[in-house]
Amino acid sequence: LHWMSKPLEAPVVRLSLTAPPGVDLFANTIGMSVSPDGSRIAFVGTDSIGENHIWVRPIASPTARMIPGTEGVLVLFWSPDGRRMVAG
């Protein structure tokens, strides 16, 4: 009877990403990634002095926070378990 059951439909999610004040999104990068569980979005933003940093924002929040020590990053990816980011 499994073949008769209807497949579950994935919910549609729309997201608007606004840069924090003084941060330019994707100026010198191609860095944006949604966490494996879909709860967070990470992106690379360039500050007013031209330095790239990783920013992380929960999907349910309009506010992103900069991750200290991520200067100079160009691209990023979440690890498969979503506990950390791999950046280059």
Side-chain angles (χ1 to χ4, degrees):
L1 295 177
H2 179 16
W3 60 271
M4 294 179 65
S5 64
K6 293 174 90 178
L8 295 176
E9 292 186 30
V12 174
V13 176
R14 290 182 176 83
L15 175 69
S16 174
L17 186 60
T18 303
V23 174
D24 188 9
L25 292 178
F26 317 120
N28 303 315
T29 71
I30 50 171
M32 183 180 77
S33 183
V34 177
S35 64
D37 68 0
S39 68
R40 295 167 289 166
I41 185 166
F43 59 92
V44 177
T46 306
D47 64 19
S48 60
I49 61 169
E51 190 75 60
N52 294 341
H53 298 273
I54 294 175
W55 295 74
V56 176
R57 188 192 108 185
I59 295 291
S61 171
T63 306
R65 68 178 181 89
M66 185 191 62
I67 306 299
T70 60
E71 297 82 6
V73 69
L74 296 176
V75 295
L76 62 95
F77 305 93
W78 289 95
S79 64
D81 65 6
R83 292 183 181 180
R84 60 190 178 280
M85 283 173 274
V86 179

